[in-house]
């Protein structure tokens, strides 16, 4: 899902020269980066990080706005392809240098940790962060501001990984308020993240609650999105003449492909599926118009719905035995 996506927007400041490491600062981490500066509206740099100190790797995609990407391209054009730029974070600064050739960039980076970052995060309850956690915080732009915002929303005693996830998936005060207004209050962090993963927002919630299924809880909302139950599909389902359908019945129709086209195709063969359970059974057991025509071509022209189901479930021998037994009496 979607759970691996990184949706963090990134502010980038162009610089002329890379800062030197000052004596007494936290240890700097080094690695490589690569990116593609395409001539499209959706520009991005995909940074592949290889930590030279321990051969570990860390990958993410940093999305640049159009103006920033253009500024980097202009810098490359005016300097024979050479570029320098940096990400300034609460956790520290990631400084990049490299080359851009034919829209592709590559080079090296140095991360210099902010000396106060770990102490500040520890005061907020996040214990002693290790080097990998600090570097992750820098790349994902997570720090005290987000930690304090989560605390104000009532999310205390979070693990650091939970704080990272909440930032990656855009869990902030605006989103929580939006879901509150939609009637989904006091959600757990993993529930809010699930809503983000499945693109469930206030508009989706309002539309879902207008489908006529009554009050929908968290699981209902996820199910509607997973099975792509749209207002158009619900309207189509209600037009088939099965009466009032609940949410589970509508989802079963979607899962098994019970549509108006299918009902019409069976009606064209003089098989009128007016009962919901019968119609769903036909779809579950794979009774298609082609199967009905095949049976009729084989000489079984008078099979009713029940007999077609028996043939599909038990085989042709079963229905033949039943017919022979009926003739004896």
């Amino acid at each position: 899902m979607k759970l691996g996506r990184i949706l963090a927007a990134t502010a980038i400041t162009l610089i002329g020269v890379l800062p030197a490491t000052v004596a007494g600062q936290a240890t700097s981490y080094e690695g490589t980066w690569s990116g593609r500066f395409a001539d499209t509206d959706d520009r991005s740099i995909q940074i592949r990080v290889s930590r030279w100190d321990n051969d570990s790797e860390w990958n993410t995609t940093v999305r640049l706005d159009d103006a920033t990407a253009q500024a980097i391209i202009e810098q490359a054009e005016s300097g024979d392809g050479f570029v320098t730029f940096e990400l300034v974070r609460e956790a520290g600064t990631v400084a990049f240098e490299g080359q851009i050739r034919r829209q592709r960039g590559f080079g090296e980076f140095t991360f210099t940790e902010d000396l106060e970052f770990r102490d500040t995060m520890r005061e907020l309850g996040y214990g002693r962060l290790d080097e990998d956690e600090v570097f992750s915080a820098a790349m994902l732009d997570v720090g005290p501001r987000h930690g304090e915002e989560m605390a104000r929303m009532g999310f205390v005693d979070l693990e650091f990984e939970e704080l990272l996830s909440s930032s990656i998936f855009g869990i902030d005060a605006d989103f929580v308020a939006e879901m509150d207004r939609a009637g989904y209050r006091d959600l757990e962090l993993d529930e809010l993240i699930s809503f983000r993963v499945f693109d469930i927002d206030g508009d989706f919630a309002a539309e879902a609650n207008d489908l006529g299924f009554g009050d929908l809880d968290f699981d209902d909302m996820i199910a509607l999105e997973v099975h792509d139950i749209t207002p158009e599909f619900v309207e189509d389902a209600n037009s088939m003449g099965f009466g009032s359908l609940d949410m589970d019945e509508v989802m079963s129709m979607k899962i098994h492909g019970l549509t108006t086209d299918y009902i019409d195709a069976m009606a064209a063969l003089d098989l009128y599926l007016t009962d919901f359970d019968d119609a769903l059974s036909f779809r579950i057991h794979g009774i298609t118009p082609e199967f009905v025509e095949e049976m009729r071509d084989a000489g079984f022209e008078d099979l009713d719905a029940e007999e077609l189901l028996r043939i599909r479930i038990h085989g042709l021998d079963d229905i033949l035995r039943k017919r022979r037994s009926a003739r004896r009496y």
Side-chain angles (χ1 to χ4, degrees):
M1 198 250 289
K2 290 189 174 180
L3 283 172
R5 293 183 309 171
I6 296 177
L7 307 175
T10 303
I12 293 193
T13 304
L14 298 179
I15 60 174
V17 294
L18 296 174
T21 301
V22 179
Q25 285 188 339
T27 304
S28 295
Y29 317 139
E30 298 176 325
T32 59
W33 68 273
S34 63
R36 184 172 184 269
F37 294 83
D39 189 18
T40 66
D41 291 336
D42 184 21
R43 294 188 171 100
S44 66
I45 299 175
Q46 183 171 342
I47 300 170
R48 182 176 179 83
V49 172
S50 179
R51 288 274 295 279
W52 296 340
D53 54 346
N54 57 11
D55 283 334
S56 65
E57 291 187 352
W58 198 96
N59 302 288
T60 187
T61 297
V62 179
R63 299 201 176 278
L64 308 177
D65 60 60
D66 196 63
T68 302
Q70 185 61 38
I72 295 174
I73 292 171
E74 290 174 0
Q75 184 188 160
E77 291 173 346
S78 64
D80 195 27
F82 180 74
V83 294
T84 62
F85 56 98
E86 65 180 13
L87 307 179
V88 180
R89 311 295 204 188
E90 291 177 280
T93 299
V94 191
F96 299 85
E97 66 175 7
Q99 298 280 320
I100 295 179
R101 292 285 186 273
R102 298 187 181 90
Q103 297 183 338
R104 295 190 178 277
F106 56 91
E108 300 175 357
F109 74 87
T110 300
F111 170 62
T112 304
E113 179 185 345
D114 184 285
L115 285 174
E116 298 179 358
F117 179 73
R118 297 195 208 200
D119 289 339
T120 303
M121 293 302 291
R122 185 164 58 249
E123 290 172 2
L124 292 174
Y126 290 98
R128 293 184 176 276
L129 302 183
D130 61 29
E131 291 183 356
D132 289 332
E133 290 171 327
V134 171
F135 188 67
S136 295
M139 296 305 296
L140 297 175
D141 198 10
V142 175
R145 285 194 302 270
H146 185 61
E148 290 168 353
E149 180 181 26
M150 294 300 291
R152 286 194 297 271
M153 293 188 293
F155 295 103
V156 296
D157 299 326
L158 294 179
E159 298 292 333
F160 184 68
E161 288 185 359
E162 293 177 312
L163 186 68
L164 291 179
S165 295
S166 67
S167 178
I168 289 169
F169 293 105
I171 308 303
D172 56 21
D174 289 340
F175 182 66
V176 171
E178 179 180 352
M179 298 316 297
D180 280 350
R181 289 191 297 271
Y184 296 90
R185 300 176 178 85
D186 301 322
L187 294 174
E188 300 291 336
L189 178 59
D190 60 346
E191 293 175 323
L192 288 165
I193 289 175
S194 293
F195 274 178
R196 280 299 205 194
V197 168
F198 290 105
D199 295 323
I200 296 173
D201 57 14
D203 291 339
F204 180 94
E207 186 176 88
N209 280 292
D210 285 340
L211 294 176
F213 298 134
D215 293 333
L216 301 175
D217 61 18
F218 168 81
D219 292 328
D220 293 332
M221 297 290 287
I222 297 295
L224 287 172
E225 171 60 21
V226 167
H227 295 294
D228 192 25
I229 306 299
T230 64
E232 293 76 18
F233 184 80
V234 174
E235 182 179 357
D236 188 56
N238 287 329
S239 72
M240 296 185 199
F242 296 131
S244 179
L245 298 169
D246 62 27
M247 180 175 153
D248 289 339
E249 290 171 328
V250 171
M251 282 200 296
S252 294
M253 294 173 73
K254 186 61 178 284
I255 292 168
H256 296 291
L258 180 54
T259 64
T260 301
D261 289 343
Y262 176 78
I263 295 297
D264 291 345
M266 300 307 287
L269 297 171
D270 295 323
L271 285 167
Y272 300 99
L273 302 175
T274 58
D275 180 80
F276 173 78
D277 291 334
D278 288 343
L280 187 62
S281 293
F282 262 49
R283 289 303 294 157
I284 289 173
H285 295 291
I287 299 178
T288 63
E290 293 77 16
F291 174 74
V292 175
E293 291 175 343
E294 181 183 341
M295 289 294 97
R296 291 178 178 179
D297 290 342
F300 300 95
E301 299 177 356
D302 59 343
L303 293 172
D304 59 23
E306 181 181 353
E307 289 175 323
L308 284 165
L309 276 172
R310 289 181 65 84
I311 290 173
R312 204 56 163 153
I313 297 171
H314 302 292
L316 188 58
D317 290 344
D318 178 79
I319 196 68
L320 291 175
R321 282 195 302 271
K322 189 173 182 180
R323 287 191 170 193
R324 286 194 296 268
S325 176
R327 283 197 295 269
R328 284 199 294 270
Y329 296 98

